[in-house]
Amino acid sequence: MNLDYIVREPENITPSTTILFMLHGYGSNEQDLFSFRETLPEDWIIVSFRAPRTTQFEGYSWYDIDFNNPENFVDVPQATESLTSVLESILKIINHYGITEGKTHLCGFSQGGILCYALALKYPEMFNLVACMSSYPEEKLLTDIVKDKKKLEKLRFFISHGTDDAIIPLEWGRKAADLLYDLNCYFTFREYMSGHGVNQKNYMDLMDFYSK
């Protein structure tokens, strides 16, 4: 499935241009994280995907959520289908721009962050900097992740979570630290005095992460 997306292109694109892919959260759209482009490096390609499923109030989602049943919080077949669509779209876009030596980064919020964990840990050689905000690593999507330290060493994670998140509990978010520590991945884990969102300090730390 080809995903809809919006893109900001730099003036010059070469085989070594950096590209950042963004995945929004449940009920949002491709414009959400795309607003970050104003403070991201000007020479990057910024691609923000729109999730394939529609929700109420003209939003979109990567998969359905059962808010009343934590055991079925994730519709695994739908999430797996979305993962495949994102991966295919990423490969197609990288190929379209002829990027053969550039770095590929990920940025995901909430549901989008959950998919970013799965993408990065399943295909670690493809990615470099990975930001997962207000999300958590979903075990049901991580059944076949790479555990070879050599293949994971290029990844750098930035994990952020609000201490008062009422949608995805902080305890779920903290699972990321345990998982990434066990995998010997490089990561930064930050907690902020906020709810299910990105406050100013979180945003500044995120930009600092991408500037490295």
Side-chain angles (χ1 to χ4, degrees):
M1 182 196 305
N2 283 336
L3 295 174
D4 291 331
Y5 63 90
I6 48 180
V7 61
R8 185 203 74 182
E9 297 177 349
E11 283 186 27
N12 299 307
I13 298 175
T14 72
S16 56
T17 294
T18 294
I19 187 163
L20 170 64
F21 292 98
M22 299 177 144
L23 284 74
H24 65 77
Y26 182 91
S28 188
N29 60 46
E30 68 278 18
Q31 295 287 347
D32 189 11
L33 298 176
F34 197 60
S35 62
F36 293 1
R37 71 190 181 281
E38 305 295 339
T39 45
L40 286 163
E42 291 181 2
D43 57 348
W44 288 12
I45 300 171
I46 312 286
V47 176
S48 187
F49 289 119
R50 175 194 289 179
R53 313 184 72 81
T54 55
T55 64
Q56 289 180 308
F57 313 115
E58 300 180 354
Y60 299 88
S61 73
W62 299 102
Y63 51 85
D64 292 339
I65 291 175
D66 186 344
F67 288 100
N68 298 316
N69 185 356
E71 289 301 310
N72 290 328
F73 194 66
V74 174
D75 186 308
V76 176
Q78 290 178 6
T80 303
E81 187 179 341
S82 283
L83 271 175
T84 302
S85 297
V86 172
L87 180 65
E88 289 175 353
S89 296
I90 285 174
L91 291 170
K92 206 170 284 185
I93 291 167
I94 288 174
N95 188 51
H96 167 75
Y97 286 112
I99 298 172
T100 52
E101 299 157 35
K103 292 182 176 178
T104 302
H105 304 324
L106 293 171
C107 179
F109 179 80
S110 193
Q111 220 182 42
I114 291 168
L115 294 193
C116 285
Y117 279 120
L119 283 167
L121 294 175
K122 285 173 185 277
Y123 313 101
E125 289 113 324
M126 283 182 60
F127 303 106
N128 297 90
L129 302 180
V130 182
C132 301
M133 301 174 290
S134 301
S135 60
Y136 72 100
E138 172 51 63
E139 292 175 7
K140 293 174 183 174
L141 302 179
L142 301 176
T143 51
D144 53 351
I145 60 173
V146 172
K147 295 181 178 176
D148 182 338
K149 186 180 177 183
K150 197 79 183 150
K151 293 180 179 177
L152 293 167
E153 67 182 8
K154 199 174 64 167
L155 290 174
R156 299 288 184 277
F157 285 89
F158 174 82
I159 315 299
S160 67
H161 215 99
T163 53
D164 301 313
D165 193 325
I167 306 295
I168 295 178
L170 177 58
E171 292 72 38
W172 292 20
R174 285 175 174 164
K175 290 178 184 175
D178 295 331
L179 172 68
L180 297 176
Y181 180 82
D182 288 343
L183 291 171
N184 285 307
C185 286
Y186 292 93
F187 69 94
T188 300
F189 185 90
R190 298 266 171 85
E191 296 176 10
Y192 300 90
M193 298 288 286
S194 66
H196 193 67
V198 179
N199 67 12
Q200 189 64 27
K201 181 73 173 79
N202 190 169
Y203 183 77
M204 290 167 63
D205 289 343
L206 177 69
M207 291 303 121
D208 184 54
F209 170 71
Y210 281 128
S211 69
K212 290 171 181 169

